[in-house]
Amino acid sequence: MKQLRSKKPLYAQIASIVKDRILHGVYPVGTNIPSEPQLEQEFQVSKVTVRNAIKELAQDGYVEKGSGKGTKVIRNTSASKLSKLKRFTEVLVEDGHQISKQLLFAENVINDEGTTANQLFGERCLRVERLYHLNGEPYIHYTHYLSSRASNIELSDLGAQSLYDLLDEQRISISKYRDEFSVCATVQAYVTAALHIEAGTPLLKRSRYAYDESDELIEYSEGYYHTERHPYVVNYDV
């Protein structure tokens, strides 16, 4: 695997990547994550680095290490700072599905006049496109637009690490979200192509606005969900 370039210590980066895989069902609850030698080989790091990564995952309650039995996943939900509601992907994983992410595009771009990104962030912003697969089938297409404050993110890290983890590394903390939902039958051709659907197929659109503690808009994103493959689900715990 390509050497990680984030500013975080290597063990913390590896822990973040493994945690992300756990949250997306790559390593289901009750199964073992790859062995220490396998992780050493994948990330091209030392035994000490891998052991520190596993130690951090154990401290956060995601895994437990058994003598001679490997390292078992014991939790696959994150602790949300903003809400007790579970993330949609966490609901899918709990139901036995597997979610995988594919980075399609990441670049600092010039925004065309009149576009939503131009109206929100001005002339330039960071644009990230991702495709989420549900059990191997393309399911959600997301385009993220981030303010110039996020321009220092190492773009090569976006393929492996969580976008919000990388924002945290830049000391950009998200404290408030606003989500808007609608149904769209007319979307960009690159979205329908990525989702392997015909033009005119109705999609659930989720528009998200993410703000920092001073109410500055940090991220605007547009997600298109192919709900014919699976409905959008929200679980409420009382």
Side-chain angles (χ1 to χ4, degrees):
M1 179 174 177
K2 179 191 276 188
Q3 185 70 25
L4 300 173
R5 298 172 61 181
S6 171
K7 294 179 181 180
K8 284 200 302 187
L10 276 175
Y11 78 87
Q13 295 178 58
I14 294 169
S16 178
I17 292 170
V18 174
K19 181 185 75 173
D20 195 63
R21 293 175 182 175
I22 291 171
L23 294 177
H24 287 87
V26 179
Y27 308 141
V29 170
T31 66
N32 288 352
I33 65 172
S35 67
E36 291 182 7
Q38 288 174 318
L39 292 173
E40 291 167 30
Q41 182 176 6
E42 177 182 357
F43 295 106
Q44 300 174 23
V45 295
S46 69
K47 186 184 298 292
V48 172
T49 299
V50 167
R51 287 182 175 175
N52 284 337
I54 293 173
K55 181 179 179 181
E56 179 166 301
L57 288 167
Q59 289 175 339
D60 290 343
Y62 290 99
V63 301
E64 65 177 7
K65 190 171 176 59
S67 178
K69 297 182 180 180
T71 303
K72 181 184 294 185
V73 178
I74 59 174
R75 179 165 69 92
N76 61 3
T77 56
S78 61
S80 172
K81 300 175 183 177
L82 303 178
S83 171
K84 293 182 179 180
L85 297 179
K86 294 178 181 177
R87 297 187 303 179
F88 176 51
T89 52
E90 293 177 358
V91 173
L92 292 176
V93 169
E94 281 195 337
D95 288 343
H97 300 287
Q98 185 176 112
I99 302 292
S100 60
K101 296 186 297 183
Q102 178 185 357
L103 179 65
L104 302 178
F105 178 90
E107 190 173 316
N108 287 292
V109 298
I110 297 176
N111 299 318
D112 294 332
E113 289 189 13
T115 62
T116 302
N118 180 271
Q119 294 168 1
L120 294 175
F121 298 116
E123 183 180 351
R124 292 178 178 272
C125 72
L126 173 62
R127 177 179 167 185
V128 179
E129 284 183 33
R130 278 203 172 111
L131 183 65
Y132 290 76
H133 296 261
L134 175 67
N135 303 322
E137 295 290 330
Y139 178 46
I140 310 168
H141 182 282
Y142 249 104
T143 304
H144 306 266
Y145 302 92
L146 295 108
S147 78
S148 57
R149 287 180 57 193
S151 60
N152 291 328
I153 287 179
E154 186 62 57
L155 300 185
S156 61
D157 290 336
L158 284 166
Q161 292 187 259
S162 160
L163 174 61
Y164 295 110
D165 284 347
L166 293 172
L167 286 174
D168 280 341
E169 287 183 34
Q170 302 298 320
R171 298 183 179 179
I172 301 174
S173 178
I174 303 299
S175 64
K176 182 174 69 175
Y177 293 116
R178 174 186 172 89
D179 283 343
E180 298 176 356
F181 293 90
S182 59
V183 177
C184 293
T186 304
V187 299
Q188 299 90 334
Y190 65 85
V191 174
T192 56
L195 292 173
H196 298 173
I197 57 176
E198 295 182 0
T201 301
L203 299 172
L204 175 67
K205 179 182 178 182
R206 177 181 186 174
S207 302
R208 164 163 285 189
Y209 301 81
Y211 302 85
D212 68 6
E213 295 175 350
S214 60
D215 278 342
E216 177 184 350
L217 182 65
I218 300 298
E219 177 213 11
Y220 167 72
S221 61
E222 294 179 347
Y224 292 94
Y225 295 69
H226 186 21
T227 52
E228 287 185 7
R229 292 206 167 105
H230 196 286
Y232 188 92
V233 179
V234 178
N235 280 351
Y236 297 93
D237 293 327
V238 179

